[in-house]
Amino acid sequence: MQVTTTRGNDKLQYKIRIGKHELIADAPEAFGGDDSGPEPHDLLAASLAACTALTVTMYAKRKGMQLDDVRVAIDHGQQDGAYELRRHIEFVGQLSDEERARLLDIANKCPVHKTLSGTIHIHTEAV
């Protein structure tokens, strides 16, 4: 899957195309944008939140757990020289303590979590 960007309508707005889907990214007004969409770090945090919720939900369904909802909140920003993502997960449903512990373990195995926790190489070329 390729992700592409093209210039949007506002000062710093960009349209992000992911297959048949389109998102908007922008910068906050304080940085010269129009705040017409999330800034890139928010999209990164959203990827972790969405992946966590989807991964946990799929696992719970496969195992027949009584999980009604997964609510994920990500606080993020620079902290002591590193970028920090703080994930808060609420499991909603009739779950035992063991099931909750297992779902937390599964959350830590979501693909985006594993990607962000591992080594990432970015190769850039200008065309």
Side-chain angles (χ1 to χ4, degrees), residues 101-126:
R102 182 65 182 142
L103 292 177
L104 184 59
D105 182 51
I106 293 300
N108 288 328
K109 294 178 180 178
C110 88
V112 172
H113 179 110
K114 289 167 49 174
T115 298
L116 293 172
S117 298
T119 302
I120 298 174
H121 299 277
I122 300 172
H123 304 276
T124 305
E125 64 180 55

Side-chain angles (χ1 to χ4, degrees), residues 42-57:
D42 292 334
L43 293 170
L44 180 66
S47 293
L48 178 60
C51 186
T52 300
L54 289 167
T55 300
V56 167
T57 299

Side-chain angles (χ1 to χ4, degrees), residues 71-114:
R71 298 175 185 148
V72 182
I74 309 286
D75 296 313
H76 60 99
Q78 285 292 335
Q79 183 73 30
D80 299 324
Y83 202 83
E84 186 172 298
L85 298 151
R86 293 171 300 286
R87 180 173 52 183
H88 311 276
I89 305 172
E90 179 185 359
F91 302 119
V92 179
Q94 298 294 326
L95 301 166
S96 69
D97 290 341
E98 294 80 20
E99 288 173 320
R100 288 178 184 281
R102 182 65 182 142
L103 292 177
L104 184 59
D105 182 51
I106 293 300
N108 288 328
K109 294 178 180 178
C110 88
V112 172
H113 179 110
K114 289 167 49 174

Side-chain angles (χ1 to χ4, degrees), residues 35-73:
D35 201 20
S36 64
E39 60 98 2
H41 279 105
D42 292 334
L43 293 170
L44 180 66
S47 293
L48 178 60
C51 186
T52 300
L54 289 167
T55 300
V56 167
T57 299
M58 288 187 292
Y59 180 85
K61 283 185 183 201
R62 239 185 6 262
K63 297 297 182 178
M65 294 180 181
Q66 296 295 315
L67 179 68
D68 299 324
D69 196 7
V70 181
R71 298 175 185 148
V72 182

